[in-house]
Structure formats: C-alpha cells, structure tokens
Amino acid sequence: MAELLQPTDALEFVRQHGVVLASAKGGAPRLIEAILGEPISGNWWAHPRGRSIYNVLAAITDSEDVLVCRLLHGKLTLIHRRLWPALVRVASRFDAAQLAKVRDQHMPDGRHSTQEIPFPRWVPEDVHEQAALLSEEQALASLGPAVANLEPLPNRRVKSRKIRASQSSA
C-alpha cells in the first residue's frame, strides 16, 4: 500500500497544479488520488484509508492558501492562492455562486455544516490590486485549460470592486 501524502506535500500538489478537484472526476487533477498515491474508484469514504484521506483533505481545505469553491461543474474545486488574482480578473465569466468560498464547519455535536462566503467578500485587498494588473488572456492562461475552457456566462457580470493598478494599499 502506498504511503499517504502528508498535508505539506498535498498543499504543494495544489500549489503546483493551481486548480484541482477535491474528489470529483473532471478536467483537473483529483487531490484524493494524489493523497492516496493511486487512482480510486467509487466512494473514497469506503476506502480502507478513507479517514486518513479525510484528515489530509481537511488540512488542505482549512489552509489560508487554498480557496475552496464550486468553480468546476459545481464540484468542490481547490484553487491555490497564487492564482486568486487571475480568478478575480476573469470573475465576470462565472456565476457568483461558482466563486463563493465554501467552508465546512465542524459542529459540537459532530455534524458538519457548510457555510459559503459570497464572492467578492472573501477576496483580500492585495488580490484585487494584483488582478487589476493582469489582462484577461494572462489570467486565463495562468488558470489553465480546466478553467479557461469553461463556457463563459452570456451577458452576466459579477459585481466586483475595480481597483486601478496605480492604487496602493497604504
């Protein structure tokens, strides 16, 4: 049996790929398969190492360097902080719900509750400033084909603050 990735290595996997799916199959790498070190079919919770996979996955989704949203086909998508400016730059291509930050709350009674922080409320000021410096083409190229190939929404605009590149956070 392969050794599981530790949280630091799993975070590096997300950083390197930029955009990954937590567990769903799709147009981006699957973090659970990277954690396990092999392809997985069926429900990963049924895997003998499901609890260990969950612990690593939870550590990554709790990282301040990872945005958890539902960008790719409504599935849990993890986006590394290095790509947040690019995502903000092309946000108008997507529905605001795709860009909401998804947080899993652990309740005292053991239940889990999902909270969503709407876009752009979760976006730090410095990310808005960096986004203003990118062209749409640069942003899409850095996000990669999984995001760039998503069909843009017709005639929809996501409200976001516009910051001139010359402004600085003093």
Side-chain angles (χ1 to χ4, degrees):
M1 208 176 251
E3 189 172 320
L4 290 178
L5 277 185
Q6 294 302 305
T8 53
D9 297 321
L11 183 58
E12 178 60 18
F13 176 84
V14 176
R15 189 197 68 74
Q16 285 179 352
H17 291 279
V19 177
V20 302
L21 289 164
S23 61
K25 292 181 180 176
R30 296 173 74 192
L31 182 56
I32 60 162
E33 289 184 347
I35 293 169
L36 190 56
E38 60 189 40
I40 188 168
S41 60
N43 186 336
W44 63 271
W45 267 114
H47 192 278
R49 298 172 88 182
R51 184 172 299 268
S52 297
I53 295 168
Y54 172 80
N55 290 336
V56 175
L57 185 59
I60 301 311
T61 59
D62 287 344
S63 170
E64 291 186 11
D65 289 330
V66 175
L67 166 67
V68 180
C69 62
R70 297 188 188 279
L71 180 62
L72 299 179
H73 311 292
K75 306 298 182 188
L76 284 182
T77 308
L78 289 74
I79 303 174
H80 193 271
R81 185 179 192 96
R82 71 178 177 83
L83 293 180
W84 294 0
L87 184 64
V88 170
R89 174 61 181 89
V90 296
S92 63
R93 296 173 60 94
F94 309 109
D95 187 272
Q98 290 175 274
L99 302 176
K101 182 176 188 174
V102 178
R103 303 280 308 168
D104 192 29
Q105 287 284 133
H106 303 280
M107 307 305 282
D109 64 2
R111 291 180 303 121
H112 291 246
S113 172
T114 301
Q115 292 183 321
E116 292 191 359
I117 301 168
F119 177 83
R121 222 174 3 163
W122 60 263
V123 181
E125 188 68 30
D126 66 312
V127 171
H128 282 287
E129 293 169 3
Q130 293 167 20
L133 301 174
L134 296 172
S135 70
E136 185 170 348
E137 294 75 25
Q138 290 170 319
L140 289 171
S142 64
L143 288 165
V147 177
N149 293 336
L150 288 175
E151 288 294 318
L153 295 171
N155 300 322
R156 290 198 77 178
R157 292 312 231 188
V158 175
K159 291 181 183 175
S160 66
R161 297 178 298 169
K162 295 202 186 260
I163 297 180
R164 292 191 313 262
S166 61
Q167 288 179 322
S168 64
S169 57

